[in-house]
Amino acid sequence: MEVLKIPKGHVIVKRKDKVKGLYLIQDGSVIQKLDFAEITLRKNGIIGSLRNDEFVNDFIAAEDTTVVLLPCKNPEELKAVLDANERYRTVFLYAATIQRHQLFALYADLETRIRQYFSFVQTVYKDYHTICDKYQLDDHSLDQMDSFEMFRPQIVIEEWQISQSISLINKYQKMYIQLMEQDRDLCMGAFMEMSSQVQHTLYAIEERVNYLSEHKEILLSDSENDIFWLFFDLAVRAGRRQLDPEPLKKELSLIADFIRKSRMYDSSKAEARITQYLEYDFDNPASSGFENMDVLSMDCLAHILEYAEMTKDEIETIRNQVNTYRDLPDKMSTDSDVYKLRKQLSPMFYDVYTKVFLQAVKDESTVSPVIEMFLNFGFMDTQLAGEENAKALYDLTGRMRQFKTKRVFTIYEWLKKIYRGKKEPSKNEFDLDYTANLIEMRKNGDITEDQAKAMLHDQKEKVIFEIKNLFTSANRITCGKITTFCPVLCQEDLINTIDKMAVTAQRLEEALDKVREVDFTLMYREINFPGPGLDIMNHETIMLEVFPDMILMPNVGTRAMMWQETADKRRDTPGRFLFSIFTLADLDEMMIETAGRYRWEMCRKIQGVRWNDIREKSLTSEYCDYIQFYRKNRDLSADAKEKLKLAIARAKNNYREVFVKDYQNWIKFEARGSVRLNKVARDILIQYCPFGKEIRAGLKSNPNYQLSIPKFEADNAKKVQRLNALYEKYKNAGGTVSQVMEDHLKYYQL
């Protein structure tokens, strides 16, 4: 035995620490930390379990505490302890009954909280849409609500167990312990039985805590993509239109009260959000830091430049540049003077943007609608953008939620994610990420070793890197006017209404879903089996669907970009697709083309240096082989060879671009049974970009697919059979089939 004195606040053991034995609290008290709750163990309480090799919670001294470490890690060693000191029989039985009862009480509390949370969220979300309809204001949806369902537990504590524990604690605890302590084996049996129930209850508690943790951000989240913001935003919009905000204020107060009582949220962060609402003056928006501006009468350019803390001389220089550009008879001219002016405006715009952004993230309460218009749309001047457009953009700032989901961001929101450490900067044009670029700068002598270390975790520098690389390049490319591009928004770009051109998150998601309905494997990645494999699953791989981050550039454009296929070297990180925030082009067409490039580049990343080696079968290697040796391919007719020759010439011998054109025909026409591809290209695509189940069913009778589709489905059926057997073996060995594993099985059933 070892006696340990633990000062107040110190951790006795951490979650995942290896169990060395049982700790007996001799004096003081200990807090058992669980998410959303904690349990206090007092004198003679037991820390640890003989059912686990690791501790499942943190245990922290609530005051100066003395504990005795009993070196027993299994029942046989516990028997020896009980034989050596019979007094411990009483201590162990008392601790077990008390601690089991405490966990049962927490379990029951979590059951109640889950039912209350689910019911509350469903009710207020329904109220939100009802009030939107009543006030005839745009409503916004939360993606999280699509998957929000009532909790379906896998582990349940029976009611009789809890009732038995209550009766034992309240009436018969002393009698029970006196009976059990008389015999070592009775004592051991009772203690081990209660230990088993404790362990089972901890798993049940963890399951319920995970449910609340997974869904708590629906009501209140750090990203503000939550129900609380929906109501706050709606109340602000209602106030601006002189509608009665009282029903919304009542809902917000109700939500705030629930948040405070729920014990689910960080209190300081929750209060900051609630205080923002409480301090907002709905009768006088200007006093709340939300200026009720007349965008037509104010000097927007001066407001933006002053917010950026530009000097008077800088403001005057920029004003002259913008006025000169505004007065040009032809802003798309390629004359040298106009070209030179655009070359001056571009670096000016990004310099101002950087300064405005860094001011905005310091205190977002200072961000006016005009600043939002600049950060999200590239707006700088009312006359340059046109008065009607300026008013429409001003109104749009009240509906910015339609441009945001968990995977769709305006460039302003994206840069905020980087500034706050939620996302890492993108690669630059040399395919170097932020860290690799610092190493390169250090090698070239551009920065010192100390500067590199300081910049590695400098969020401001990361934002500047993203603006200088992704933002400046992608803004020009997505616009589509490479030689005449100017980042400052002008009315010549806006040739239709703002609402018709707006690329909302819903439009983007729908466009991506249309491609996925045809090419259902598009976003799936093969990753190593996550979690404990129990030797059975250790060498297995899992198909995981990883959706891209889609970033909206502040321009009116005609092109989309697949900037990078993953966020970093790991396969399970999202790619990055870039679109303009306004467009007149066909968004579905842009998405298909982007998906095609993603397909190619993702395969190249996975295959590495062997991406075009036909000995390693893959989409890219087979396509390269097909294009490189098409003249000798007997499966191609003379007409097919001639068409491919022209396609290669149009793509300037870029094999990826040949594939992208074929992929577009695959999604748009071949999926409907309309022949556009030759036999060789079709056979490659059906293997690596297979159609979804419904489309395959409709094409089975098509002569072009009579062999390939049945073969594909037979192969998948074998995989399903194998996985079912493997999962059964895994469960028998003590493993739990996770949602990721279930999704992997469904992948082969799609």
Side-chain angles (χ1 to χ4, degrees):
M1 289 190 295
E2 182 182 359
V3 178
L4 304 172
K5 294 189 178 297
I6 314 295
K8 178 182 177 180
H10 280 229
V11 177
I12 300 171
V13 289
K14 291 181 179 178
R15 187 173 184 269
K16 300 281 189 184
D17 280 355
K18 293 293 182 183
V19 173
K20 299 177 181 177
L22 300 177
Y23 292 85
L24 173 63
I25 302 171
Q26 205 170 54
D27 190 35
S29 58
V30 173
I31 295 173
Q32 182 177 359
K33 294 287 288 184
L34 300 98
D35 289 336
F36 309 145
E38 57 186 42
I39 292 172
T40 301
L41 308 180
R42 304 192 185 279
K43 184 176 179 179
N44 291 332
I46 301 289
I47 300 172
S49 168
L50 301 183
R51 296 283 179 179
N52 260 6
D53 293 332
E54 297 177 340
F55 287 96
V56 294
N57 301 117
D58 292 344
F59 291 84
I60 302 167
E63 55 187 305
D64 290 347
T65 300
T66 303
V67 297
V68 177
L69 175 58
L70 304 174
C72 52
K73 292 180 281 186
N74 56 55
E76 290 304 316
E77 291 179 356
L78 178 59
K79 282 182 183 180
V81 170
L82 297 179
D83 286 340
N85 192 337
E86 291 189 7
R87 183 181 68 85
Y88 283 149
R89 295 182 186 180
T90 305
V91 171
F92 273 66
L93 288 169
Y94 181 82
T97 54
I98 291 292
Q99 288 172 223
R100 179 184 64 172
H101 183 70
Q102 288 176 309
L103 289 173
F104 279 168
L106 177 56
Y107 168 88
D109 177 57
L110 285 168
E111 284 279 284
T112 301
R113 288 163 69 181
I114 284 173
R115 285 194 297 271
Q116 289 174 340
Y117 182 73
F118 180 79
S119 176
F120 183 81
V121 167
Q122 293 282 14
T123 300
V124 294
Y125 191 62
K126 183 179 179 181
D127 289 347
Y128 168 76
H129 290 291
T130 300
I131 297 172
C132 285
D133 290 341
K134 178 182 175 182
Y135 287 177
Q136 296 185 338
L137 292 172
D138 288 346
D139 60 349
H140 306 307
S141 59
L142 285 179
D143 286 347
Q144 303 98 301
M145 289 299 293
D146 294 339
S147 58
F148 184 51
E149 297 178 346
M150 187 54 194
F151 178 57
R152 293 185 174 85
Q154 293 183 342
I155 304 171
V156 177
I157 305 301
E158 299 294 343
E159 185 65 33
W160 65 263
Q161 292 178 287
I162 299 174
S163 300
Q164 181 201 43
S165 177
I166 293 171
S167 293
L168 183 64
I169 289 293
N170 291 338
K171 299 178 183 178
Y172 306 111
Q173 185 183 27
K174 186 176 180 181
M175 186 188 308
Y176 175 80
I177 291 173
Q178 285 175 345
L179 176 64
M180 293 296 124
E181 69 183 358
Q182 292 178 21
D183 182 85
R184 194 273 313 271
D185 291 332
L186 272 178
C187 178
M188 272 292 301
F191 180 76
M192 293 305 296
E193 181 182 10
M194 285 187 281
S195 295
S196 179
Q197 289 177 335
V198 163
Q199 197 63 45
H200 190 66
T201 307
L202 281 170
Y203 288 140
I205 287 170
E206 183 179 24
E207 189 181 28
R208 282 143 186 82
V209 165
N210 287 342
Y211 174 84
L212 289 173
S213 297
E214 181 182 350
H215 296 295
K216 71 174 187 175
E217 292 196 348
I218 291 175
L219 197 61
L220 192 79
S221 71
D222 290 343
S223 67
E224 298 187 359
N225 186 27
D226 51 43
I227 287 177
F228 190 84
W229 177 258
L230 288 182
F231 275 99
F232 191 19
D233 169 68
L234 184 59
V236 171
R237 289 189 284 137
R240 286 175 179 170
R241 287 159 177 77
Q242 297 183 330
L243 299 168
D244 180 16
E246 286 306 315
L248 291 159
K249 289 161 72 174
K250 287 180 181 177
E251 292 277 356
L252 279 163
S253 296
L254 186 68
I255 295 170
D257 190 48
F258 184 91
I259 288 167
R260 285 170 171 150
K261 292 177 179 177
S262 69
R263 295 169 286 151
M264 291 166 53
Y265 303 94
D266 180 279
S267 58
S268 60
K269 290 181 180 179
E271 282 304 317
R273 291 284 304 281
I274 293 169
T275 301
Q276 182 186 14
Y277 149 65
L278 292 173
E279 293 179 352
Y280 188 89
D281 186 351
F282 291 93
D283 298 321
N284 182 19
S287 68
S288 304
F290 294 85
E291 299 179 43
N292 193 9
M293 298 177 172
D294 181 357
V295 73
L296 299 183
S297 62
M298 73 177 297
D299 188 342
C300 295
L301 181 60
H303 176 68
I304 292 167
L305 298 177
E306 287 166 6
Y307 186 84
E309 298 184 346
M310 310 294 281
T311 66
K312 288 184 178 180
D313 289 343
E314 288 173 327
I315 291 174
E316 190 60 31
T317 299
I318 293 170
R319 184 185 295 282
N320 289 335
Q321 291 173 339
V322 171
N323 288 344
T324 302
Y325 184 66
R326 183 189 65 208
D327 295 336
L328 286 173
D330 180 12
K331 295 181 180 62
M332 300 300 112
S333 171
T334 55
D335 290 349
S336 59
D337 289 345
V338 180
Y339 175 78
K340 183 178 178 181
L341 180 58
R342 284 196 295 264
K343 291 285 283 183
Q344 292 172 340
L345 286 169
S346 287
M348 174 278 295
F349 176 88
Y350 295 112
D351 179 47
V352 174
Y353 194 100
T354 303
K355 291 175 179 176
V356 168
F357 174 83
L358 293 173
Q359 286 291 340
V361 291
K362 287 179 187 175
D363 184 1
E364 290 195 63
S365 66
T366 66
V367 178
S368 68
V370 169
I371 297 300
E372 281 194 78
M373 290 160 67
F374 171 65
L375 291 169
N376 289 307
F377 311 129
F379 168 90
M380 292 193 82
D381 180 73
T382 300
Q383 289 179 285
L384 185 59
E387 291 187 355
E388 287 302 313
N389 293 325
K391 286 195 293 185
L393 291 171
Y394 181 87
D395 289 340
L396 199 57
T397 59
R399 294 179 278 128
M400 287 307 297
R401 287 283 152 185
Q402 66 184 310
F403 296 102
K404 306 171 193 175
T405 65
K406 60 185 176 183
R407 55 179 180 250
V408 178
F409 311 86
T410 64
I411 187 63
Y412 174 43
E413 292 297 323
W414 178 254
L415 293 173
K416 282 199 292 184
K417 291 285 184 187
I418 292 173
Y419 185 82
R420 291 167 182 164
K422 300 291 180 67
K423 297 286 183 179
E424 287 299 311
S426 308
K427 294 179 180 178
N428 64 16
E429 58 187 351
F430 301 109
D431 203 36
L432 298 175
D433 63 18
Y434 182 74
T435 303
N437 186 66
L438 289 180
I439 294 171
E440 192 68 20
M441 291 172 68
R442 174 69 186 90
K443 286 180 180 177
N444 295 337
D446 299 326
I447 57 175
T448 65
E449 184 70 32
D450 289 341
Q451 286 175 319
K453 288 179 180 178
M455 291 171 69
L456 186 61
H457 302 292
D458 189 327
Q459 299 305 127
K460 177 181 172 182
E461 287 296 332
K462 289 183 179 182
V463 167
I464 292 170
F465 178 83
E466 190 78 342
I467 291 174
K468 285 182 177 179
N469 293 284
L470 176 134
F471 189 9
T472 55
S473 298
N475 206 25
R476 183 181 71 255
I477 296 169
T478 54
C479 181
K481 298 179 293 188
I482 304 298
T483 57
T484 60
F485 170 70
C486 178
V488 183
L489 189 70
C490 64
Q491 60 184 327
E492 283 80 0
D493 297 323
L494 298 162
I495 57 178
N496 206 326
T497 64
I498 293 294
D499 285 339
K500 286 184 178 178
M501 289 187 292
V503 179
T504 63
Q506 183 179 351
R507 287 184 65 193
L508 273 179
E509 300 276 14
E510 287 174 353
L512 179 59
D513 287 343
K514 286 177 185 176
V515 183
R516 289 174 55 242
E517 285 172 9
V518 180
D519 179 7
F520 78 94
T521 67
L522 174 63
M523 293 299 159
Y524 279 90
R525 319 267 181 84
E526 190 175 47
I527 64 168
N528 293 327
F529 177 75
L534 304 178
D535 293 331
I536 297 166
M537 300 290 292
N538 283 343
H539 302 293
E540 289 292 316
T541 56
I542 294 285
M543 298 305 295
L544 182 69
E545 195 167 22
V546 183
F547 292 96
D549 290 329
M550 295 183 278
I551 309 166
L552 296 168
M553 296 292 115
N555 66 55
V556 184
T558 57
R559 294 185 61 189
M561 286 189 70
M562 198 289 296
W563 186 265
Q564 59 192 71
E565 61 282 351
T566 59
D568 54 39
K569 294 178 181 179
R570 295 171 298 160
R571 291 187 189 178
D572 60 346
T573 55
R576 292 175 184 178
F577 291 3
L578 312 178
F579 296 84
S580 300
I581 199 165
F582 300 115
T583 189
L584 280 174
D586 188 320
L587 193 58
D588 291 342
E589 292 276 356
M590 294 162 70
M591 186 63 77
I592 294 170
E593 185 177 352
T594 305
R597 291 197 172 89
Y598 168 80
R599 267 287 190 191
W600 185 271
E601 295 301 332
M602 192 67 210
C603 184
R604 279 192 59 167
K605 182 181 183 71
I606 291 170
Q607 295 302 118
V609 294
R610 295 190 172 185
W611 69 273
N612 60 353
D613 186 344
I614 193 59
R615 291 173 296 180
E616 287 280 339
K617 295 289 185 181
S618 69
L619 171 66
T620 51
S621 67
E622 293 205 38
Y623 232 86
C624 287
D625 185 69
Y626 149 64
I627 294 172
Q628 193 171 357
F629 300 107
Y630 76 92
R631 291 185 180 87
K632 299 178 181 179
N633 197 322
R634 295 180 180 179
D635 290 329
L636 294 174
S637 65
D639 184 49
K641 290 178 180 178
E642 186 60 30
K643 286 181 179 178
L644 183 54
K645 179 182 177 182
L646 292 173
I648 295 170
R650 282 195 297 270
K652 298 179 181 178
N653 212 38
N654 187 322
Y655 291 2
R656 182 190 69 182
E657 294 308 305
V658 176
F659 165 76
V660 169
K661 290 298 180 186
D662 282 351
Y663 185 82
Q664 289 174 293
N665 285 324
W666 180 250
I667 300 296
K668 290 160 54 181
F669 300 109
E670 291 277 341
R672 301 203 305 263
S674 178
V675 177
R676 289 293 190 278
L677 306 181
N678 60 54
K679 179 183 183 302
V680 178
R682 185 181 299 111
D683 286 347
I684 296 173
L685 280 162
I686 193 62
Q687 182 180 356
Y688 294 104
C689 309
F691 296 133
K693 185 182 288 187
E694 290 185 9
I695 297 173
R696 294 199 306 270
L699 291 174
K700 275 185 180 178
S701 59
N702 189 312
N704 292 315
Y705 298 99
Q706 280 181 340
L707 295 177
S708 56
I709 288 179
K711 181 181 182 302
F712 173 81
E713 293 186 340
D715 289 344
N716 274 5
K718 289 178 183 177
K719 290 172 183 174
V720 168
Q721 187 178 16
R722 174 185 170 276
L723 282 174
N724 279 325
L726 193 65
Y727 286 5
E728 192 63 33
K729 186 178 178 183
Y730 181 68
K731 286 191 288 186
N732 292 337
T736 301
V737 176
S738 64
Q739 187 61 50
V740 172
M741 294 170 69
E742 288 181 3
D743 291 343
H744 177 57
L745 181 62
K746 288 177 185 175
Y747 169 83
Y748 293 108
Q749 297 169 332
L750 293 173

